[in-house]
Amino acid sequence: MLGLAHAAFAADGFKVPGTVFRMGELVQAQARAREKEKPIAFLYSDERTGCGLCVRASVQMIDELKMKCVLVYVDARQNFTGYPQTVAQALRAPEGGQTIPKTVVMDADLENVLLFIPYARGPALDEALKQAKKTLATAAPARPSSRRLRPPTP
């Protein structure tokens, strides 16, 4: 079930694959998403965690979404300073859940949330990822969703 990403487990935490962008590479991730006509999945997690449940779920999310999305790792130990407002807002949204890892899938322009994948365990995460892949297979990346994020007005 975990495929090649299973090998990414470390003694404490997990290794973020080189094919996954980091927030400092967001411009490159957006360019890749536009080029490949794919949405961007933001995995909000902690690669240094000692929690086996978080490690397993993070690795599973990477493995299951890597073909459908351009992946961007968001370090839960960092604050959201310098992040695009729509990304920070989506990562804080209650629909994403309160526990890491959580994933938010957005269009390449970072204007629309396509779906939220909150943390779940075992079969519940399997089902959530199955539904996410089904949703992503039918939704065009540029198609607006009902959840459009706008920065707050001053």
Side-chain angles (χ1 to χ4, degrees):
M1 170 175 43
L2 293 178
L4 295 176
H6 183 70
F9 283 100
D12 277 326
F14 61 97
K15 182 174 178 11
V16 176
T19 56
V20 175
F21 292 90
R22 295 190 178 256
M23 282 303 291
E25 303 167 312
L26 185 55
V27 171
Q28 295 93 323
Q30 284 183 279
R32 174 77 48 83
R34 289 182 185 113
E35 171 191 330
K36 300 285 186 183
E37 296 183 351
K38 291 183 177 184
I40 298 176
F42 293 93
L43 173 65
Y44 184 67
S45 190
D46 180 2
E47 66 190 320
R48 297 175 304 255
T49 185
C51 174
L53 297 172
C54 180
V55 168
R56 278 189 290 282
S58 297
V59 170
Q60 185 175 358
M61 287 182 182
I62 291 168
D63 195 45
E64 295 287 332
L65 295 174
K66 67 185 175 191
M67 299 305 288
K68 300 282 184 190
C69 302
V70 171
L71 290 161
V72 176
Y73 170 77
V74 182
D75 189 344
R77 294 181 185 221
Q78 304 295 314
N79 61 29
F80 296 124
T81 304
Y83 292 6
Q85 183 66 29
T86 55
V87 173
Q89 187 178 354
L91 291 170
R92 290 184 183 117
E95 297 93 329
Q98 297 300 313
T99 305
I100 63 169
K102 58 183 171 177
T103 302
V104 177
V105 181
M106 299 181 76
D107 64 31
D109 293 327
L110 308 179
E111 294 177 357
N112 300 297
V113 173
L114 303 176
L115 61 115
F116 293 93
I117 308 170
Y119 168 75
R121 288 177 61 177
L125 182 57
D126 293 342
E127 183 59 28
L129 287 167
K130 179 180 171 184
Q131 290 302 317
K133 289 193 301 188
K134 210 180 275 188
T135 299
L136 291 170
T138 61
R143 193 161 121 198
S145 75
S146 59
R147 172 121 176 142
R148 185 171 175 96
L149 297 176
R150 299 179 194 280
T153 52

